[in-house]
Amino acid sequence: MSVSILKELHKVLESRKSDSPDTSYVASLYAKPDKMLEKIGEEAVETIIAAKNDDREQIIYETADLWFHTMVMLSQKGLCPDDVLNELARRFGISGHEEKSSRTTPH
């Protein structure tokens, strides 16, 4: 169910692109990209606070908000969950240090 809910949510987010910002929260975010990006930052901070407070339920709740708003941004940019999942799959089995050094350019 976990991956399928991402795909289902993506379909809903795509369908909201044609909705009025007055009637759809997602359409209102599409209409104001800066606000959409601010929401991602806000939700990231709230997730960090929940983690620092070691509040399991709030961590789950805030992470869901963070993922949701990130998915709105992905959809607005013409991307989908599979794009991110494919990147995670590409990195799987690679040391974090190796992966980071492979994308860092020397100065």
Side-chain angles (χ1 to χ4, degrees), residues 9-33:
L9 178 56
H10 179 71
K11 288 179 191 175
V12 171
L13 296 176
E14 286 293 306
S15 75
R16 296 295 191 262
K17 287 182 174 179
S18 60
D19 289 354
S20 166
D22 296 329
T23 60
S24 166
Y25 174 68
V26 171
S28 74
L29 292 173
Y30 289 144
K32 296 181 179 178

Side-chain angles (χ1 to χ4, degrees), residues 50-105:
K52 285 183 85 53
N53 291 337
D54 205 24
D55 185 334
R56 186 177 190 281
E57 292 301 316
Q58 276 304 113
I59 292 168
I60 293 167
Y61 182 86
E62 297 300 344
T63 301
D65 282 351
L66 177 59
W67 287 12
F68 174 83
H69 287 90
T70 301
M71 286 190 60
V72 172
M73 181 268 305
L74 289 171
S75 177
Q76 193 262 349
K77 298 294 183 184
L79 300 167
C80 68
D82 281 343
D83 295 316
V84 177
L85 294 173
N86 289 338
E87 176 60 15
L88 288 172
R90 183 191 70 78
R91 295 180 187 185
F92 193 79
I94 299 173
S95 149
H97 293 298
E98 286 177 41
E99 196 285 325
K100 186 174 181 178
S101 69
S102 75
R103 57 187 160 100
T104 316
T105 57

Side-chain angles (χ1 to χ4, degrees), residues 35-50:
K35 179 66 176 170
M36 174 187 54
L37 297 174
E38 287 173 18
K39 284 299 292 181
I40 293 170
E42 174 188 321
E43 299 305 342
V45 169
E46 290 174 355
T47 302
I48 292 166
I49 292 167

